[in-house]
Amino acid sequence: FRSPEFSQETAYEALDGVINIWCAVTNYFDPQKQLEKKAKGESSWWYVCCGPGSPYANFHITMDAIDHRILMWQQKKYQVDGLLYWGANYWAGTSDPWEDMATVKDINPNLYGDGSLLYPGKKIGVDGPVASLRLEMIRDGFEDYEYLSLLEKTAGREAVEKAIGEVVNDMTQFTKDPLLLENVRAKIAKEIMAQQPF
């Protein structure tokens, strides 16, 4: 992406030598540039927020549940060090998040759940926050990431690339089939177990 403040340079060129933690929104993420930064010992992160929308993965309520989980498969594919997400309990944009999750109406009145992965429990008799199904899918995605990391440790990067390739092609092309994802995860578990000397 280009910024008028940086003339014709991308942020990758304009900020080179100025920062050492790179954190691009996923639709601006440049895998090759990020790998170059990592090769220099710099850190590669990414984030999602109000955007991007479909066909990218994100945590919006209107997206398929698998979209909330797939981001971590993409994170492992592109060797991204971390995920930045700006909030988990932002309810300021709505009077009752149980009834209305358009939390950022000033930005987009048709965007649901941005910055809000938890619900206030008081309304349903819970003393504290209540996890959304999206948060549970995100948790599953991080567990998938850990499986992929174990696979990499026991069987190598090539095995990880093969497994990810069954689920993710790139940033906008990935499976929408939860059964396929679960089957690949089961195959990963078998391969990890086969490599472990018990």
Side-chain angles (χ1 to χ4, degrees), residues 66-103:
I66 199 167
D67 292 9
H68 314 313
R69 188 172 178 177
I70 212 76
L71 191 60
M72 279 50 86
W73 288 74
Q74 293 171 326
Q75 185 164 330
K76 190 65 177 176
K77 175 180 178 64
Y78 294 112
Q79 301 175 56
V80 176
D81 300 317
L83 168 68
L84 170 67
Y85 192 65
W86 72 276
N89 62 342
Y90 185 76
W91 309 310
T94 179
S95 60
D96 182 357
W98 289 97
E99 300 293 330
D100 175 18
M101 279 298 280
T103 53

PDB file of all heavy atoms in Angstrom, residues 66-103:
ATOM      1  N   ILE A  66     -15.724 -20.605  10.363  1.00  0.00           N
ATOM      2  CA  ILE A  66     -14.384 -21.074  10.023  1.00  0.00           C
ATOM      3  C   ILE A  66     -13.440 -19.904   9.714  1.00  0.00           C
ATOM      4  O   ILE A  66     -12.233 -20.000   9.907  1.00  0.00           O
ATOM      5  CB  ILE A  66     -14.416 -22.095   8.854  1.00  0.00           C
ATOM      6  CG1 ILE A  66     -13.124 -22.905   8.830  1.00  0.00           C
ATOM      7  CG2 ILE A  66     -14.706 -21.410   7.532  1.00  0.00           C
ATOM      8  CD1 ILE A  66     -13.185 -24.129   7.933  1.00  0.00           C
ATOM      9  N   ASP A  67     -13.992 -18.773   9.270  1.00  0.00           N
ATOM     10  CA  ASP A  67     -13.168 -17.589   8.980  1.00  0.00           C
ATOM     11  C   ASP A  67     -12.441 -17.091  10.226  1.00  0.00           C
ATOM     12  O   ASP A  67     -11.341 -16.561  10.134  1.00  0.00           O
ATOM     13  CB  ASP A  67     -14.024 -16.447   8.422  1.00  0.00           C
ATOM     14  CG  ASP A  67     -14.572 -16.737   7.031  1.00  0.00           C
ATOM     15  OD1 ASP A  67     -14.439 -17.887   6.563  1.00  0.00           O
ATOM     16  OD2 ASP A  67     -15.142 -15.822   6.425  1.00  0.00           O
ATOM     17  N   HIS A  68     -13.062 -17.259  11.392  1.00  0.00           N
ATOM     18  CA  HIS A  68     -12.437 -16.811  12.645  1.00  0.00           C
ATOM     19  C   HIS A  68     -11.256 -17.702  13.011  1.00  0.00           C
ATOM     20  O   HIS A  68     -10.320 -17.263  13.670  1.00  0.00           O
ATOM     21  CB  HIS A  68     -13.455 -16.824  13.792  1.00  0.00           C
ATOM     22  CG  HIS A  68     -14.773 -16.206  13.445  1.00  0.00           C
ATOM     23  ND1 HIS A  68     -14.884 -14.998  12.808  1.00  0.00           N
ATOM     24  CD2 HIS A  68     -16.038 -16.650  13.633  1.00  0.00           C
ATOM     25  CE1 HIS A  68     -16.173 -14.713  12.626  1.00  0.00           C
ATOM     26  NE2 HIS A  68     -16.880 -15.702  13.117  1.00  0.00           N
ATOM     27  N   ARG A  69     -11.303 -18.917  12.578  1.00  0.00           N
ATOM     28  CA  ARG A  69     -10.281 -19.904  12.917  1.00  0.00           C
ATOM     29  C   ARG A  69      -9.139 -19.941  11.902  1.00  0.00           C
ATOM     30  O   ARG A  69      -7.994 -20.210  12.240  1.00  0.00           O
ATOM     31  CB  ARG A  69     -10.972 -21.267  12.986  1.00  0.00           C
ATOM     32  CG  ARG A  69     -10.130 -22.391  13.495  1.00  0.00           C
ATOM     33  CD  ARG A  69     -10.997 -23.625  13.681  1.00  0.00           C
ATOM     34  NE  ARG A  69     -10.241 -24.769  14.121  1.00  0.00           N
ATOM     35  CZ  ARG A  69     -10.761 -25.941  14.414  1.00  0.00           C
ATOM     36  NH1 ARG A  69     -12.061 -26.121  14.323  1.00  0.00           N
ATOM     37  NH2 ARG A  69      -9.995 -26.926  14.807  1.00  0.00           N
ATOM     38  N   ILE A  70      -9.467 -19.676  10.653  1.00  0.00           N
ATOM     39  CA  ILE A  70      -8.513 -19.871   9.555  1.00  0.00           C
ATOM     40  C   ILE A  70      -7.355 -18.878   9.606  1.00  0.00           C
ATOM     41  O   ILE A  70      -6.275 -19.142   9.082  1.00  0.00           O
ATOM     42  CB  ILE A  70      -9.256 -19.804   8.193  1.00  0.00           C
ATOM     43  CG1 ILE A  70      -8.588 -20.706   7.162  1.00  0.00           C
ATOM     44  CG2 ILE A  70      -9.347 -18.392   7.666  1.00  0.00           C
ATOM     45  CD1 ILE A  70      -8.862 -22.151   7.354  1.00  0.00           C
ATOM     46  N   LEU A  71      -7.582 -17.740  10.250  1.00  0.00           N
ATOM     47  CA  LEU A  71      -6.529 -16.725  10.314  1.00  0.00           C
ATOM     48  C   LEU A  71      -5.247 -17.279  10.935  1.00  0.00           C
ATOM     49  O   LEU A  71      -4.138 -16.916  10.524  1.00  0.00           O
ATOM     50  CB  LEU A  71      -7.030 -15.499  11.100  1.00  0.00           C
ATOM     51  CG  LEU A  71      -6.169 -14.255  11.055  1.00  0.00           C
ATOM     52  CD1 LEU A  71      -5.993 -13.739   9.633  1.00  0.00           C
ATOM     53  CD2 LEU A  71      -6.777 -13.175  11.925  1.00  0.00           C
ATOM     54  N   MET A  72      -5.361 -18.182  11.888  1.00  0.00           N
ATOM     55  CA  MET A  72      -4.171 -18.744  12.522  1.00  0.00           C
ATOM     56  C   MET A  72      -3.457 -19.747  11.607  1.00  0.00           C
ATOM     57  O   MET A  72      -2.246 -19.905  11.677  1.00  0.00           O
ATOM     58  CB  MET A  72      -4.522 -19.380  13.865  1.00  0.00           C
ATOM     59  CG  MET A  72      -4.648 -18.365  15.005  1.00  0.00           C
ATOM     60  SD  MET A  72      -5.704 -16.934  14.705  1.00  0.00           S
ATOM     61  CE  MET A  72      -7.288 -17.582  15.150  1.00  0.00           C
ATOM     62  N   TRP A  73      -4.187 -20.408  10.723  1.00  0.00           N
ATOM     63  CA  TRP A  73      -3.555 -21.262   9.715  1.00  0.00           C
ATOM     64  C   TRP A  73      -2.754 -20.385   8.753  1.00  0.00           C
ATOM     65  O   TRP A  73      -1.628 -20.725   8.378  1.00  0.00           O
ATOM     66  CB  TRP A  73      -4.612 -22.065   8.946  1.00  0.00           C
ATOM     67  CG  TRP A  73      -5.240 -23.161   9.751  1.00  0.00           C
ATOM     68  CD1 TRP A  73      -6.154 -23.022  10.767  1.00  0.00           C
ATOM     69  CD2 TRP A  73      -4.997 -24.557   9.619  1.00  0.00           C
ATOM     70  NE1 TRP A  73      -6.488 -24.258  11.268  1.00  0.00           N
ATOM     71  CE2 TRP A  73      -5.796 -25.224  10.572  1.00  0.00           C
ATOM     72  CE3 TRP A  73      -4.188 -25.321   8.780  1.00  0.00           C
ATOM     73  CZ2 TRP A  73      -5.814 -26.606  10.713  1.00  0.00           C
ATOM     74  CZ3 TRP A  73      -4.210 -26.698   8.912  1.00  0.00           C
ATOM     75  CH2 TRP A  73      -5.008 -27.325   9.883  1.00  0.00           C
ATOM     76  N   GLN A  74      -3.341 -19.260   8.381  1.00  0.00           N
ATOM     77  CA  GLN A  74      -2.625 -18.325   7.508  1.00  0.00           C
ATOM     78  C   GLN A  74      -1.402 -17.759   8.234  1.00  0.00           C
ATOM     79  O   GLN A  74      -0.343 -17.574   7.634  1.00  0.00           O
ATOM     80  CB  GLN A  74      -3.561 -17.195   7.077  1.00  0.00           C
ATOM     81  CG  GLN A  74      -4.677 -17.666   6.174  1.00  0.00           C
ATOM     82  CD  GLN A  74      -5.715 -16.599   5.927  1.00  0.00           C
ATOM     83  OE1 GLN A  74      -6.011 -15.773   6.801  1.00  0.00           O
ATOM     84  NE2 GLN A  74      -6.300 -16.614   4.738  1.00  0.00           N
ATOM     85  N   GLN A  75      -1.550 -17.510   9.516  1.00  0.00           N
ATOM     86  CA  GLN A  75      -0.438 -16.969  10.306  1.00  0.00           C
ATOM     87  C   GLN A  75       0.744 -17.937  10.289  1.00  0.00           C
ATOM     88  O   GLN A  75       1.887 -17.522  10.136  1.00  0.00           O
ATOM     89  CB  GLN A  75      -0.904 -16.698  11.738  1.00  0.00           C
ATOM     90  CG  GLN A  75       0.143 -16.023  12.589  1.00  0.00           C
ATOM     91  CD  GLN A  75      -0.438 -15.427  13.855  1.00  0.00           C
ATOM     92  OE1 GLN A  75      -1.593 -15.016  13.892  1.00  0.00           O
ATOM     93  NE2 GLN A  75       0.355 -15.381  14.891  1.00  0.00           N
ATOM     94  N   LYS A  76       0.460 -19.223  10.425  1.00  0.00           N
ATOM     95  CA  LYS A  76       1.542 -20.222  10.381  1.00  0.00           C
ATOM     96  C   LYS A  76       2.107 -20.331   8.967  1.00  0.00           C
ATOM     97  O   LYS A  76       3.319 -20.444   8.784  1.00  0.00           O
ATOM     98  CB  LYS A  76       1.031 -21.577  10.873  1.00  0.00           C
ATOM     99  CG  LYS A  76       2.126 -22.584  11.086  1.00  0.00           C
ATOM    100  CD  LYS A  76       3.061 -22.151  12.205  1.00  0.00           C
ATOM    101  CE  LYS A  76       4.129 -23.163  12.484  1.00  0.00           C
ATOM    102  NZ  LYS A  76       5.076 -22.700  13.499  1.00  0.00           N
ATOM    103  N   LYS A  77       1.244 -20.273   7.969  1.00  0.00           N
ATOM    104  CA  LYS A  77       1.698 -20.362   6.570  1.00  0.00           C
ATOM    105  C   LYS A  77       2.708 -19.266   6.258  1.00  0.00           C
ATOM    106  O   LYS A  77       3.747 -19.513   5.648  1.00  0.00           O
ATOM    107  CB  LYS A  77       0.498 -20.254   5.618  1.00  0.00           C
ATOM    108  CG  LYS A  77       0.887 -20.216   4.133  1.00  0.00           C
ATOM    109  CD  LYS A  77      -0.344 -20.100   3.256  1.00  0.00           C
ATOM    110  CE  LYS A  77      -0.007 -20.000   1.785  1.00  0.00           C
ATOM    111  NZ  LYS A  77       0.642 -21.172   1.216  1.00  0.00           N
ATOM    112  N   TYR A  78       2.402 -18.042   6.687  1.00  0.00           N
ATOM    113  CA  TYR A  78       3.249 -16.899   6.345  1.00  0.00           C
ATOM    114  C   TYR A  78       4.274 -16.573   7.431  1.00  0.00           C
ATOM    115  O   TYR A  78       4.935 -15.544   7.363  1.00  0.00           O
ATOM    116  CB  TYR A  78       2.373 -15.690   6.017  1.00  0.00           C
ATOM    117  CG  TYR A  78       1.562 -15.924   4.767  1.00  0.00           C
ATOM    118  CD1 TYR A  78       0.182 -16.052   4.816  1.00  0.00           C
ATOM    119  CD2 TYR A  78       2.186 -16.049   3.532  1.00  0.00           C
ATOM    120  CE1 TYR A  78      -0.557 -16.283   3.670  1.00  0.00           C
ATOM    121  CE2 TYR A  78       1.451 -16.281   2.379  1.00  0.00           C
ATOM    122  CZ  TYR A  78       0.078 -16.395   2.456  1.00  0.00           C
ATOM    123  OH  TYR A  78      -0.646 -16.627   1.306  1.00  0.00           O
ATOM    124  N   GLN A  79       4.386 -17.443   8.437  1.00  0.00           N
ATOM    125  CA  GLN A  79       5.394 -17.324   9.493  1.00  0.00           C
ATOM    126  C   GLN A  79       5.310 -15.975  10.224  1.00  0.00           C
ATOM    127  O   GLN A  79       6.310 -15.334  10.522  1.00  0.00           O
ATOM    128  CB  GLN A  79       6.790 -17.550   8.914  1.00  0.00           C
ATOM    129  CG  GLN A  79       6.927 -18.915   8.263  1.00  0.00           C
ATOM    130  CD  GLN A  79       8.256 -19.116   7.584  1.00  0.00           C
ATOM    131  OE1 GLN A  79       9.283 -18.965   8.244  1.00  0.00           O
ATOM    132  NE2 GLN A  79       8.250 -19.453   6.311  1.00  0.00           N
ATOM    133  N   VAL A  80       4.077 -15.581  10.505  1.00  0.00           N
ATOM    134  CA  VAL A  80       3.813 -14.335  11.220  1.00  0.00           C
ATOM    135  C   VAL A  80       3.981 -14.585  12.715  1.00  0.00           C
ATOM    136  O   VAL A  80       3.474 -15.567  13.257  1.00  0.00           O
ATOM    137  CB  VAL A  80       2.389 -13.824  10.902  1.00  0.00           C
ATOM    138  CG1 VAL A  80       2.065 -12.579  11.701  1.00  0.00           C
ATOM    139  CG2 VAL A  80       2.262 -13.563   9.399  1.00  0.00           C
ATOM    140  N   ASP A  81       4.711 -13.699  13.379  1.00  0.00           N
ATOM    141  CA  ASP A  81       5.055 -13.888  14.793  1.00  0.00           C
ATOM    142  C   ASP A  81       3.904 -13.620  15.747  1.00  0.00           C
ATOM    143  O   ASP A  81       3.840 -14.198  16.830  1.00  0.00           O
ATOM    144  CB  ASP A  81       6.220 -12.967  15.182  1.00  0.00           C
ATOM    145  CG  ASP A  81       7.463 -13.253  14.368  1.00  0.00           C
ATOM    146  OD1 ASP A  81       7.786 -14.437  14.165  1.00  0.00           O
ATOM    147  OD2 ASP A  81       8.109 -12.285  13.926  1.00  0.00           O
ATOM    148  N   GLY A  82       2.998 -12.716  15.388  1.00  0.00           N
ATOM    149  CA  GLY A  82       1.948 -12.368  16.339  1.00  0.00           C
ATOM    150  C   GLY A  82       0.729 -11.780  15.665  1.00  0.00           C
ATOM    151  O   GLY A  82       0.761 -11.351  14.515  1.00  0.00           O
ATOM    152  N   LEU A  83      -0.362 -11.772  16.413  1.00  0.00           N
ATOM    153  CA  LEU A  83      -1.637 -11.208  15.962  1.00  0.00           C
ATOM    154  C   LEU A  83      -2.030 -10.103  16.926  1.00  0.00           C
ATOM    155  O   LEU A  83      -2.090 -10.321  18.142  1.00  0.00           O
ATOM    156  CB  LEU A  83      -2.714 -12.298  15.951  1.00  0.00           C
ATOM    157  CG  LEU A  83      -4.162 -11.826  15.782  1.00  0.00           C
ATOM    158  CD1 LEU A  83      -4.383 -11.252  14.390  1.00  0.00           C
ATOM    159  CD2 LEU A  83      -5.129 -12.967  16.038  1.00  0.00           C
ATOM    160  N   LEU A  84      -2.299  -8.933  16.382  1.00  0.00           N
ATOM    161  CA  LEU A  84      -2.775  -7.803  17.175  1.00  0.00           C
ATOM    162  C   LEU A  84      -4.278  -7.659  16.943  1.00  0.00           C
ATOM    163  O   LEU A  84      -4.728  -7.644  15.800  1.00  0.00           O
ATOM    164  CB  LEU A  84      -2.057  -6.520  16.758  1.00  0.00           C
ATOM    165  CG  LEU A  84      -2.599  -5.208  17.326  1.00  0.00           C
ATOM    166  CD1 LEU A  84      -2.385  -5.143  18.821  1.00  0.00           C
ATOM    167  CD2 LEU A  84      -1.954  -4.025  16.634  1.00  0.00           C
ATOM    168  N   TYR A  85      -5.031  -7.598  18.027  1.00  0.00           N
ATOM    169  CA  TYR A  85      -6.458  -7.309  17.921  1.00  0.00           C
ATOM    170  C   TYR A  85      -6.770  -6.254  18.967  1.00  0.00           C
ATOM    171  O   TYR A  85      -6.347  -6.366  20.115  1.00  0.00           O
ATOM    172  CB  TYR A  85      -7.300  -8.577  18.138  1.00  0.00           C
ATOM    173  CG  TYR A  85      -8.743  -8.371  17.758  1.00  0.00           C
ATOM    174  CD1 TYR A  85      -9.101  -8.126  16.436  1.00  0.00           C
ATOM    175  CD2 TYR A  85      -9.739  -8.411  18.710  1.00  0.00           C
ATOM    176  CE1 TYR A  85     -10.409  -7.927  16.074  1.00  0.00           C
ATOM    177  CE2 TYR A  85     -11.068  -8.228  18.359  1.00  0.00           C
ATOM    178  CZ  TYR A  85     -11.398  -7.983  17.040  1.00  0.00           C
ATOM    179  OH  TYR A  85     -12.711  -7.774  16.686  1.00  0.00           O
ATOM    180  N   TRP A  86      -7.503  -5.254  18.606  1.00  0.00           N
ATOM    181  CA  TRP A  86      -7.590  -4.034  19.401  1.00  0.00           C
ATOM    182  C   TRP A  86      -8.482  -4.115  20.638  1.00  0.00           C
ATOM    183  O   TRP A  86      -8.335  -3.330  21.567  1.00  0.00           O
ATOM    184  CB  TRP A  86      -8.015  -2.870  18.516  1.00  0.00           C
ATOM    185  CG  TRP A  86      -9.455  -2.899  18.080  1.00  0.00           C
ATOM    186  CD1 TRP A  86      -9.965  -3.575  17.019  1.00  0.00           C
ATOM    187  CD2 TRP A  86     -10.545  -2.210  18.680  1.00  0.00           C
ATOM    188  NE1 TRP A  86     -11.306  -3.368  16.922  1.00  0.00           N
ATOM    189  CE2 TRP A  86     -11.695  -2.521  17.927  1.00  0.00           C
ATOM    190  CE3 TRP A  86     -10.678  -1.363  19.780  1.00  0.00           C
ATOM    191  CZ2 TRP A  86     -12.948  -2.011  18.236  1.00  0.00           C
ATOM    192  CZ3 TRP A  86     -11.929  -0.862  20.078  1.00  0.00           C
ATOM    193  CH2 TRP A  86     -13.042  -1.178  19.306  1.00  0.00           C
ATOM    194  N   GLY A  87      -9.427  -5.027  20.680  1.00  0.00           N
ATOM    195  CA  GLY A  87     -10.290  -5.068  21.852  1.00  0.00           C
ATOM    196  C   GLY A  87     -11.122  -6.335  21.901  1.00  0.00           C
ATOM    197  O   GLY A  87     -11.350  -6.977  20.881  1.00  0.00           O
ATOM    198  N   ALA A  88     -11.569  -6.689  23.078  1.00  0.00           N
ATOM    199  CA  ALA A  88     -12.405  -7.875  23.229  1.00  0.00           C
ATOM    200  C   ALA A  88     -13.748  -7.547  23.875  1.00  0.00           C
ATOM    201  O   ALA A  88     -14.662  -8.361  23.833  1.00  0.00           O
ATOM    202  CB  ALA A  88     -11.677  -8.915  24.079  1.00  0.00           C
ATOM    203  N   ASN A  89     -13.870  -6.353  24.462  1.00  0.00           N
ATOM    204  CA  ASN A  89     -15.108  -6.011  25.172  1.00  0.00           C
ATOM    205  C   ASN A  89     -15.554  -4.589  24.855  1.00  0.00           C
ATOM    206  O   ASN A  89     -15.998  -3.854  25.731  1.00  0.00           O
ATOM    207  CB  ASN A  89     -14.934  -6.196  26.679  1.00  0.00           C
ATOM    208  CG  ASN A  89     -13.870  -5.281  27.255  1.00  0.00           C
ATOM    209  OD1 ASN A  89     -13.038  -4.745  26.527  1.00  0.00           O
ATOM    210  ND2 ASN A  89     -13.897  -5.091  28.560  1.00  0.00           N
ATOM    211  N   TYR A  90     -15.475  -4.205  23.593  1.00  0.00           N
ATOM    212  CA  TYR A  90     -15.894  -2.866  23.196  1.00  0.00           C
ATOM    213  C   TYR A  90     -17.394  -2.863  22.922  1.00  0.00           C
ATOM    214  O   TYR A  90     -17.858  -3.379  21.914  1.00  0.00           O
ATOM    215  CB  TYR A  90     -15.126  -2.405  21.958  1.00  0.00           C
ATOM    216  CG  TYR A  90     -15.447  -0.986  21.581  1.00  0.00           C
ATOM    217  CD1 TYR A  90     -14.904   0.069  22.303  1.00  0.00           C
ATOM    218  CD2 TYR A  90     -16.289  -0.703  20.521  1.00  0.00           C
ATOM    219  CE1 TYR A  90     -15.202   1.379  21.974  1.00  0.00           C
ATOM    220  CE2 TYR A  90     -16.593   0.603  20.182  1.00  0.00           C
ATOM    221  CZ  TYR A  90     -16.048   1.634  20.918  1.00  0.00           C
ATOM    222  OH  TYR A  90     -16.343   2.935  20.584  1.00  0.00           O
ATOM    223  N   TRP A  91     -18.128  -2.297  23.843  1.00  0.00           N
ATOM    224  CA  TRP A  91     -19.578  -2.238  23.717  1.00  0.00           C
ATOM    225  C   TRP A  91     -20.074  -0.790  23.690  1.00  0.00           C
ATOM    226  O   TRP A  91     -21.278  -0.538  23.758  1.00  0.00           O
ATOM    227  CB  TRP A  91     -20.257  -2.965  24.877  1.00  0.00           C
ATOM    228  CG  TRP A  91     -19.756  -4.349  25.105  1.00  0.00           C
ATOM    229  CD1 TRP A  91     -19.610  -5.328  24.148  1.00  0.00           C
ATOM    230  CD2 TRP A  91     -19.321  -4.925  26.337  1.00  0.00           C
ATOM    231  NE1 TRP A  91     -19.121  -6.472  24.717  1.00  0.00           N
ATOM    232  CE2 TRP A  91     -18.926  -6.256  26.075  1.00  0.00           C
ATOM    233  CE3 TRP A  91     -19.219  -4.460  27.637  1.00  0.00           C
ATOM    234  CZ2 TRP A  91     -18.447  -7.115  27.045  1.00  0.00           C
ATOM    235  CZ3 TRP A  91     -18.747  -5.312  28.614  1.00  0.00           C
ATOM    236  CH2 TRP A  91     -18.367  -6.621  28.316  1.00  0.00           C
ATOM    237  N   ALA A  92     -19.170   0.159  23.587  1.00  0.00           N
ATOM    238  CA  ALA A  92     -19.560   1.572  23.665  1.00  0.00           C
ATOM    239  C   ALA A  92     -20.520   1.978  22.552  1.00  0.00           C
ATOM    240  O   ALA A  92     -21.302   2.904  22.709  1.00  0.00           O
ATOM    241  CB  ALA A  92     -18.310   2.462  23.624  1.00  0.00           C
ATOM    242  N   GLY A  93     -20.472   1.287  21.427  1.00  0.00           N
ATOM    243  CA  GLY A  93     -21.328   1.664  20.305  1.00  0.00           C
ATOM    244  C   GLY A  93     -22.741   1.119  20.373  1.00  0.00           C
ATOM    245  O   GLY A  93     -23.534   1.353  19.468  1.00  0.00           O
ATOM    246  N   THR A  94     -23.071   0.403  21.443  1.00  0.00           N
ATOM    247  CA  THR A  94     -24.395  -0.215  21.526  1.00  0.00           C
ATOM    248  C   THR A  94     -24.902  -0.166  22.977  1.00  0.00           C
ATOM    249  O   THR A  94     -24.114  -0.212  23.913  1.00  0.00           O
ATOM    250  CB  THR A  94     -24.336  -1.678  21.024  1.00  0.00           C
ATOM    251  OG1 THR A  94     -25.625  -2.261  21.138  1.00  0.00           O
ATOM    252  CG2 THR A  94     -23.330  -2.511  21.791  1.00  0.00           C
ATOM    253  N   SER A  95     -26.199  -0.090  23.131  1.00  0.00           N
ATOM    254  CA  SER A  95     -26.748  -0.055  24.497  1.00  0.00           C
ATOM    255  C   SER A  95     -26.885  -1.459  25.083  1.00  0.00           C
ATOM    256  O   SER A  95     -26.877  -1.626  26.301  1.00  0.00           O
ATOM    257  CB  SER A  95     -28.107   0.647  24.507  1.00  0.00           C
ATOM    258  OG  SER A  95     -29.017  -0.035  23.667  1.00  0.00           O
ATOM    259  N   ASP A  96     -27.018  -2.472  24.235  1.00  0.00           N
ATOM    260  CA  ASP A  96     -27.146  -3.847  24.708  1.00  0.00           C
ATOM    261  C   ASP A  96     -26.495  -4.787  23.700  1.00  0.00           C
ATOM    262  O   ASP A  96     -27.099  -5.139  22.681  1.00  0.00           O
ATOM    263  CB  ASP A  96     -28.617  -4.223  24.894  1.00  0.00           C
ATOM    264  CG  ASP A  96     -28.798  -5.633  25.440  1.00  0.00           C
ATOM    265  OD1 ASP A  96     -27.788  -6.357  25.632  1.00  0.00           O
ATOM    266  OD2 ASP A  96     -29.956  -6.021  25.663  1.00  0.00           O
ATOM    267  N   PRO A  97     -25.250  -5.232  23.960  1.00  0.00           N
ATOM    268  CA  PRO A  97     -24.567  -6.102  23.010  1.00  0.00           C
ATOM    269  C   PRO A  97     -25.249  -7.450  22.791  1.00  0.00           C
ATOM    270  O   PRO A  97     -25.001  -8.111  21.793  1.00  0.00           O
ATOM    271  CB  PRO A  97     -23.168  -6.276  23.600  1.00  0.00           C
ATOM    272  CG  PRO A  97     -23.244  -5.811  24.993  1.00  0.00           C
ATOM    273  CD  PRO A  97     -24.422  -4.904  25.118  1.00  0.00           C
ATOM    274  N   TRP A  98     -26.135  -7.854  23.700  1.00  0.00           N
ATOM    275  CA  TRP A  98     -26.867  -9.108  23.488  1.00  0.00           C
ATOM    276  C   TRP A  98     -27.912  -8.948  22.383  1.00  0.00           C
ATOM    277  O   TRP A  98     -28.320  -9.928  21.765  1.00  0.00           O
ATOM    278  CB  TRP A  98     -27.546  -9.549  24.787  1.00  0.00           C
ATOM    279  CG  TRP A  98     -26.571 -10.043  25.808  1.00  0.00           C
ATOM    280  CD1 TRP A  98     -26.033  -9.331  26.837  1.00  0.00           C
ATOM    281  CD2 TRP A  98     -25.991 -11.342  25.892  1.00  0.00           C
ATOM    282  NE1 TRP A  98     -25.156 -10.103  27.553  1.00  0.00           N
ATOM    283  CE2 TRP A  98     -25.116 -11.364  26.999  1.00  0.00           C
ATOM    284  CE3 TRP A  98     -26.128 -12.509  25.140  1.00  0.00           C
ATOM    285  CZ2 TRP A  98     -24.386 -12.482  27.368  1.00  0.00           C
ATOM    286  CZ3 TRP A  98     -25.407 -13.633  25.505  1.00  0.00           C
ATOM    287  CH2 TRP A  98     -24.548 -13.611  26.609  1.00  0.00           C
ATOM    288  N   GLU A  99     -28.338  -7.717  22.158  1.00  0.00           N
ATOM    289  CA  GLU A  99     -29.358  -7.442  21.144  1.00  0.00           C
ATOM    290  C   GLU A  99     -28.788  -6.762  19.894  1.00  0.00           C
ATOM    291  O   GLU A  99     -29.354  -6.908  18.817  1.00  0.00           O
ATOM    292  CB  GLU A  99     -30.455  -6.536  21.744  1.00  0.00           C
ATOM    293  CG  GLU A  99     -31.173  -7.134  22.932  1.00  0.00           C
ATOM    294  CD  GLU A  99     -32.016  -8.341  22.565  1.00  0.00           C
ATOM    295  OE1 GLU A  99     -32.511  -8.409  21.433  1.00  0.00           O
ATOM    296  OE2 GLU A  99     -32.154  -9.243  23.422  1.00  0.00           O
ATOM    297  N   ASP A 100     -27.692  -6.022  20.067  1.00  0.00           N
ATOM    298  CA  ASP A 100     -27.143  -5.236  18.957  1.00  0.00           C
ATOM    299  C   ASP A 100     -25.618  -5.227  19.052  1.00  0.00           C
ATOM    300  O   ASP A 100     -25.052  -4.619  19.950  1.00  0.00           O
ATOM    301  CB  ASP A 100     -27.683  -3.804  19.026  1.00  0.00           C
ATOM    302  CG  ASP A 100     -27.062  -2.887  17.988  1.00  0.00           C
ATOM    303  OD1 ASP A 100     -26.488  -3.390  16.999  1.00  0.00           O
ATOM    304  OD2 ASP A 100     -27.159  -1.659  18.171  1.00  0.00           O
ATOM    305  N   MET A 101     -24.968  -5.918  18.114  1.00  0.00           N
ATOM    306  CA  MET A 101     -23.506  -5.959  18.120  1.00  0.00           C
ATOM    307  C   MET A 101     -22.895  -5.079  17.027  1.00  0.00           C
ATOM    308  O   MET A 101     -21.762  -5.295  16.612  1.00  0.00           O
ATOM    309  CB  MET A 101     -23.021  -7.403  17.963  1.00  0.00           C
ATOM    310  CG  MET A 101     -23.054  -8.173  19.272  1.00  0.00           C
ATOM    311  SD  MET A 101     -21.967  -7.494  20.542  1.00  0.00           S
ATOM    312  CE  MET A 101     -20.412  -8.159  20.024  1.00  0.00           C
ATOM    313  N   ALA A 102     -23.629  -4.087  16.554  1.00  0.00           N
ATOM    314  CA  ALA A 102     -23.045  -3.097  15.647  1.00  0.00           C
ATOM    315  C   ALA A 102     -22.262  -2.122  16.537  1.00  0.00           C
ATOM    316  O   ALA A 102     -22.736  -1.057  16.906  1.00  0.00           O
ATOM    317  CB  ALA A 102     -24.124  -2.380  14.855  1.00  0.00           C
ATOM    318  N   THR A 103     -21.058  -2.522  16.911  1.00  0.00           N
ATOM    319  CA  THR A 103     -20.286  -1.830  17.945  1.00  0.00           C
ATOM    320  C   THR A 103     -19.543  -0.603  17.444  1.00  0.00           C
ATOM    321  O   THR A 103     -19.119   0.211  18.248  1.00  0.00           O
ATOM    322  CB  THR A 103     -19.279  -2.795  18.579  1.00  0.00           C
ATOM    323  OG1 THR A 103     -18.498  -3.390  17.541  1.00  0.00           O
ATOM    324  CG2 THR A 103     -19.982  -3.881  19.371  1.00  0.00           C
TER     325      THR A 103
END
